[in-house]
């Protein structure tokens, strides 16, 4: 059994109350170990020395530690630790809260001259951010730039999108969320209700519900039992009625009669109360959950160190890499299923909202009828009877109503050709109901973003297992071993062609949306894999040069006035880079990008000239007496010219490894896209050309809904140059 390495949302909820007992403790010093373990040393009047540990690497935890469990201070403190020492030394610990149901803890520190907030993100890649009194990030262990949020010095800190809290959800809302799933009960609790696998299974066990019960077979009795089990767990946490346990690996048969074997087993889990799902495992009880968590992670580190230091045993059996790989792949498939489920739910909510507007008069008549009746003190039962009578008489608005729920104040109608059920708040108007549905679609899409982060983390774990497998096999070959499947000469046939998916013919294409920092600029990847980015306006031109231009990048611009700043990147914004000898093909593609999105295209020219310089040749300082417009720069020194570069772009749909619309020079796009359309300067306005491209691409795919989701006309338009265009093919 793999040991637990991350605290769950329920674990953090139990910890927060206990950590609050240290309010008023003064901070002495901050330490940072290995870039992911933060230690704050505090002094408390009642408890003496307090060691607050926050770890956000492979292990994710936050708790007060026994001083005996704390390693010696590391050497020279890095900048993040120095910054914390400057801001927190002498500050009072003012409390800690959990952000909604997320694995995020917010620690508050107060000092006469300034207050500081530490936000510990114990999910995904993990992070710790220090905020000033205004919520601005002063410093963070990692810089995060996503479409949904940014965590970077100088930016306002943004929490991730809110998640449903399963511990305070009403029964009606619980039933509604469960019914949105098309899988079984335990998977729905784990994903839709955000419980995770272990606690989803625990809720089923406590409720006496079969875990694999299909959702379409779950009735009111099943839902009520599950909701009651959740309520009992929530009450345990609120009241502090906990019985913390550290679980250990079970004893082997040979150890059952060995008194020395007890208490020295590898640990596998720590929980705030005993779990039915852990019955049969030996466990150790503790007076507080904080003490249990501290003991668990102290022993986990000791177990890991012992495993790492164990001498190699030539007779040791080969680790079961295949089982671990299969496990990670199963997790990925489950996560993909959850993501696809979120996409379908969001699409359904948007469709409901659009149907409300499409049947505006009918919906308005239903809502007005119910609202007027309620204002006249007509009971919900009478309203339902009146609507049933109206339906029998053929009144369209009454016929559309399929359910009236007085306890929730809602009316459900069926709309559209497929009779899609739409639940309406009776007290609200048409616009408010539609807006609520749109907001629900957005909330579900934000949940999808969290699931996508999780799947990336799992993929990294899978790659790590594969690397360990390769290292093991390489070491085995060095020792004279070999695979029994190899031929006598040890060589493969070398004739296997890489498998290519026919994306256009697939009836369903899973969406794997990226969230890259550069997507707000114009961008493409060259055929050799380098990133090229360009400004969309003067502000972005300024930003690219001041913030994103590295020492080994290349700066491109057109001879014609009105072109974007174009950077050929040698590395990402937070990565160190070495000098790069870019190929001629790469440079020509960057030049074509600069020309195609310039005034050359807008003016209808079929080609243009561009030049390239080194970053140190680009300056914002004009000559004496001259003036430089915003978004413009002075170029000094020799230039490398690219003449008669064709004005052409290709726009297409990428399906692997991510799904999205892409655009840029044809030589870079056609190989990367499943299909694409090439354009040149012409007569059709930008929005009209985008719609033509969209229709052309959509017709090529069997899964046309996929194109609508990832490459709609407005998304394709972002890749079209300003001015008129014609489709070449």
């Amino acid at each position: 059994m793999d040991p637990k390495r991350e605290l769950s949302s329920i674990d953090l909820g139990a910890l927060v109350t206990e950590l609050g007992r240290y309010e008023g403790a003064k901070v002495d010093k901050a330490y940072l170990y290995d870039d992911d373990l933060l230690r704050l040393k505090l002094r408390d009047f009642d408890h003496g020395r307090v060691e607050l540990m926050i770890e956000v690497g492979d292990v994710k935890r936050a708790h007060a530690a026994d001083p005996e469990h704390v390693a010696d201070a590391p050497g020279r403190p890095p900048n993040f630790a120095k910054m914390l020492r400057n801001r927190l030394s002498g500050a009072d610990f003012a409390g800690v809260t959990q952000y909604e149901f997320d694995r995020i803890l917010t620690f508050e520190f107060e000092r006469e001259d300034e207050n500081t907030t530490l936000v510990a993100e114990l999910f995904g890649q993990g992070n710790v951010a220090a905020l000033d009194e205004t919520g601005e990030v002063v410093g963070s262990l990692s810089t995060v730039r996503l479409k949904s949020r940014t965590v970077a010095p100088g930016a306002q800190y943004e929490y991730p999108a809110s998640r449903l809290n399963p511990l305070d959800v009403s029964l009606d809302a619980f039933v509604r969320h469960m019914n949105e799933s098309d899988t079984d009960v335990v998977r729905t609790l784990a994903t839709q209700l955000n419980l995770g696998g272990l606690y989803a299974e625990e809720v089923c066990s406590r409720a006496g519900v079969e875990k694999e019960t299909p959702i379409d077979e779950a009735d009111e009795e099943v839902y009520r039992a599950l909701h009651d089990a959740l309520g009992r767990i929530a009450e345990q946490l609120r009241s502090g009625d906990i019985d913390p346990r550290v679980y250990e690996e079970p004893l082997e048969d040979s150890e059952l009669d060995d008194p020395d074997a007890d208490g020295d087993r590898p640990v596998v889990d720590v929980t705030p109360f005993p779990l039915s799902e852990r019955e049969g495992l030996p466990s150790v009880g503790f007076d507080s959950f904080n003490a249990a968590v501290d003991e668990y992670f102290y022993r986990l580190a000791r177990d890991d160190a012992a495993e790492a230091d164990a001498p190699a045993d030539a007779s040791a059996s080969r680790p079961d890499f295949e089982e671990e790989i299969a496990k990670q792949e199963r997790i990925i498939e489950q996560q993909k299923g959850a993501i696809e489920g979120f996409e379908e739910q969001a699409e359904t909510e948007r469709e409901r909202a659009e149907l409300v507007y499409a049947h505006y008069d009918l919906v308005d008549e239903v809502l007005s009828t119910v609202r007027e009746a309620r204002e006249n003190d007509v009971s919900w039962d009478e309203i339902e009877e009146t609507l049933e009578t109206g339906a029998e008489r053929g009144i369209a608005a009454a016929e559309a109503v399929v359910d009236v729920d007085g306890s929730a104040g809602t009316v459900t109608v069926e709309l559209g050709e497929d009779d899609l059920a739409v639940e309406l708040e009776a007290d609200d108007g048409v616009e408010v109901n539609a807006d609520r549905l749109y907001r629900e679609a957005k909330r579900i899409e934000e949940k999808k973003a969290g699931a996508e982060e999780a799947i990336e983390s799992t993929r990294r774990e899978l790659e790590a297992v594969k690397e360990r497998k390769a290292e093991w096999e390489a070491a085995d070959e060095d020792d004279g071993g070999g695979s029994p499947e190899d031929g006598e000469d040890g060589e493969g046939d070398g004739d296997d062609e890489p498998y290519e998916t026919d994306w256009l013919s697939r009836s369903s294409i899973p969406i794997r949306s990226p969230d890259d920092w550069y997507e707000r600029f114009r961008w493409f990847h060259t055929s050799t894999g380098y990133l090229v980015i360009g400004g969309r306006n003067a502000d972005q031109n300024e930003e690219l040069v001041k913030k994103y231009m590295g020492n080994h990048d290349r700066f491109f611009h057109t001879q014609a006035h009105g072109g974007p700043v174009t950077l050929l990147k040698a590395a990402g914004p937070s990565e160190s880079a070495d000098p790069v000898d870019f190929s001629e093909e790469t440079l020509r593609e960057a030049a074509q990008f600069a020309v195609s999105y310039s005034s050359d295209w807008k003016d209808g020219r079929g080609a243009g000239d561009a030049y390239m310089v080194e970053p140190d040749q680009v300056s914002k300082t004009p000559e004496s007496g001259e003036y430089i417009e915003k978004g413009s720069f002075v170029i000094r020194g020799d230039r490398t010219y690219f003449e008669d570069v064709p004005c052409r772009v290709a726009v297409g749909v990428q399906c692997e490894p991510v799904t999205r619309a892409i655009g840029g020079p044809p030589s870079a796009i056609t190989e990367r896209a499943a299909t694409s359309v090439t354009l040149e300067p012409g007569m059709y306005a930008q929005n009209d050309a985008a719609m033509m491209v969209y229709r052309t691409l959509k017709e090529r795919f069997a899964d046309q809904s996929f194109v609508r989701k990832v490459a709609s006309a407005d998304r394709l338009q972002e890749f079209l140059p300003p001015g008129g265009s014609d489709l070449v093919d």
Side-chain angles (χ1 to χ4, degrees), residues 451-470:
E452 286 168 343
E453 290 181 9
I455 202 171
E456 287 305 313
S457 176
T458 307
R459 282 180 174 138
R460 283 190 289 273
E461 292 177 11
L462 175 60
E463 289 305 311
V465 175
K466 289 180 177 178
E467 288 176 7
R468 292 199 300 273
K469 177 185 176 185

Side-chain angles (χ1 to χ4, degrees), residues 18-29 40-52 64 87-96 107-111 116:
E18 295 186 3
L19 289 175
R21 70 182 59 165
Y22 300 113
E23 286 185 23
K26 285 196 176 292
V27 180
D28 272 344
K29 195 170 286 188
L40 296 182
K41 183 179 178 182
L42 302 92
R43 289 176 289 108
D44 184 79
F45 181 79
D46 294 320
H47 302 92
R49 176 181 164 189
V50 177
E51 297 284 1
L52 178 61
R87 294 190 65 90
L88 297 182
S89 181
D92 293 328
F93 173 45
V96 56
F107 298 84
E108 301 289 349
F109 298 89
E110 296 178 352
R111 203 169 66 181
T116 302

Side-chain angles (χ1 to χ4, degrees), residues 403-558:
D403 184 57
V404 176
D405 187 346
S407 62
T410 61
V411 179
T412 301
V413 296
E414 287 184 345
L415 302 175
E417 295 179 358
D418 297 329
D419 291 332
L420 184 63
V422 182
E423 187 179 77
L424 304 168
E425 300 284 349
D427 290 340
D428 297 329
V430 178
E431 293 87 353
V432 174
N433 273 286
D435 182 62
R436 175 178 56 81
L437 293 166
Y438 278 124
R439 283 187 282 109
E440 177 64 11
K442 184 177 179 181
R443 184 190 69 81
I444 293 170
E445 286 179 334
E446 289 169 345
K447 286 175 64 177
K448 185 188 79 170
E452 286 168 343
E453 290 181 9
I455 202 171
E456 287 305 313
S457 176
T458 307
R459 282 180 174 138
R460 283 190 289 273
E461 292 177 11
L462 175 60
E463 289 305 311
V465 175
K466 289 180 177 178
E467 288 176 7
R468 292 199 300 273
K469 177 185 176 185
E471 291 170 359
W472 179 281
E473 291 174 345
D476 190 39
E477 290 176 4
D478 289 343
D479 290 338
S483 171
E485 291 81 20
D486 291 341
E488 291 184 4
D489 59 1
E491 297 179 359
D493 57 25
D495 293 332
D496 289 340
E497 292 290 333
Y499 176 76
E500 294 185 3
T501 302
D502 183 3
W503 295 108
L504 302 185
S505 300
R506 286 190 61 165
S507 59
S508 177
I509 302 175
I511 296 176
R512 301 178 295 279
S513 301
D515 204 354
D516 296 313
W517 64 270
Y518 48 77
E519 289 195 335
R520 61 192 183 91
F521 302 105
R522 294 196 187 279
W523 66 274
F524 80 99
H525 285 99
T526 68
S527 52
T528 51
Y530 289 97
L531 174 66
V532 175
I533 48 178
R536 294 183 180 275
N537 50 47
D539 288 335
Q540 286 196 350
N541 285 347
E542 293 274 345
E543 183 179 5
L544 285 175
V545 170
K546 293 179 178 178
K547 190 171 182 179
Y548 292 103
M549 186 167 67
N551 293 334
H552 303 299
D553 297 344
R554 300 291 188 275
F555 176 102
F556 287 78
H557 205 276
T558 58

Side-chain angles (χ1 to χ4, degrees), residues 562-576:
V565 163
T566 298
L567 299 181
L568 171 57
K569 297 292 296 174
S574 60
E575 302 169 352
S576 60

